[in-house]
Amino acid sequence: MKLSAPLALLFLLCADGSGSAVSHPKPPCRYPPSQWCRSLEIAIECKVQKQCMEVNATRPNQAVPPVSVTLYYESLCPACRVFITQQLFPTWTMLQDIMAVTLVPYGNAKELPSPNSPFTCQHGEPECRGNLIEACIIHLTRHSSLQIIYCMESAADVLNAAKPCLQLYAPSVSWSSVDSCVNKGLGYRLMHANAVMTRALNPAHTHVPWVTFNGVKHIVIL
């Protein structure tokens, strides 16, 4: 089966790994992803000339529903950070009119029968808080959420980047609303919903990042 150019590029996001996981992802060129296809010179420098030419030559069919991409991840997982900043977000920037992204921060966390600390996380308590903050931001900002999560995950300190990233990409959403979500019960309900979604995966996830296209598992190579 021959894929259309945009869809082929979408699948490339799971087969374009660097071969190593780093603690602080770095952009592949000096331009942000939103500008990669602005000019031929930028596309060449960012090594996306072929992809930009294919995308620009193909107009999306509005009658066809967008590809649903769901990412199951953890906020402080090094491999997840690389995937979000170097593969998912750049691809979404160019193909956002044909792809719908759902972010599920939970991953290998576990629910506990405790009202005060109902989750334990693979990378410790800071990751649990990061997952909680990101779940609240995703819930409150909707369409701007991927930009905010990208901003956070590309920062040296994910948690401390949350407030300035929110102010940058969703200035109409107050930080107090995020803080209220995190501290007054809504955040835990959102995390429980993420836990239910993650446990419902078939096949069950064995690692993160874990990506599905239209509900079907796709292998991520990092």
Side-chain angles (χ1 to χ4, degrees), residues 8-32:
L9 179 57
L10 176 60
F11 275 87
L12 282 177
L13 71 85
C14 285
D16 189 30
S18 62
S20 62
V22 296
S23 60
H24 178 40
K26 295 181 179 179
C29 66
R30 61 192 176 97
Y31 295 94

Side-chain angles (χ1 to χ4, degrees), residues 1-192:
M1 180 181 68
K2 185 178 181 181
L3 298 176
S4 65
L7 190 55
L9 179 57
L10 176 60
F11 275 87
L12 282 177
L13 71 85
C14 285
D16 189 30
S18 62
S20 62
V22 296
S23 60
H24 178 40
K26 295 181 179 179
C29 66
R30 61 192 176 97
Y31 295 94
S34 60
Q35 297 183 15
W36 284 359
C37 294
R38 289 276 181 90
S39 71
L40 178 60
E41 291 78 11
I42 295 176
I44 291 174
E45 179 176 335
C46 297
K47 300 179 181 180
V48 291
Q49 179 184 3
K50 181 177 181 292
Q51 291 91 334
C52 288
M53 290 176 66
E54 291 176 344
V55 169
N56 291 335
T58 306
R59 294 181 180 276
N61 185 346
Q62 298 300 325
V64 178
V67 176
S68 175
V69 180
T70 304
L71 171 65
Y72 299 82
Y73 75 103
E74 300 164 350
S75 60
L76 298 186
C77 162
C80 298
R81 298 182 66 191
V82 169
F83 180 74
I84 291 170
T85 59
Q86 296 187 10
Q87 298 184 50
L88 178 62
F89 184 75
T91 303
W92 174 83
T93 298
M94 291 188 288
L95 301 180
Q96 56 188 283
D97 51 355
I98 65 165
M99 64 184 290
V101 176
T102 299
L103 299 174
V104 186
Y106 185 79
N108 296 320
K110 303 293 182 184
E111 281 193 286
L112 302 174
S114 168
N116 297 323
S117 182
F119 300 96
T120 180
C121 299
Q122 183 175 1
H123 299 93
E125 177 56 31
E127 180 170 83
C128 282
R129 183 161 183 83
N131 292 345
L132 189 60
I133 291 172
E134 292 192 357
C136 286
I137 287 175
I138 292 165
H139 173 74
L140 293 169
T141 61
R142 304 293 183 180
H143 298 302
S144 302
S145 61
L146 182 54
Q147 293 168 297
I148 299 168
I149 300 306
Y150 163 77
C151 178
M152 292 175 61
E153 297 295 338
S154 62
D157 189 321
V158 175
L159 273 66
N160 284 338
K163 185 174 182 178
C165 288
L166 177 73
Q167 293 171 338
L168 178 63
Y169 288 106
S172 63
V173 178
S174 67
W175 179 252
S176 62
S177 65
V178 175
D179 191 59
S180 176
C181 173
V182 169
N183 294 306
K184 293 186 178 180
L186 175 58
Y188 285 154
R189 292 195 295 274
L190 294 173
M191 287 303 301
H192 172 70

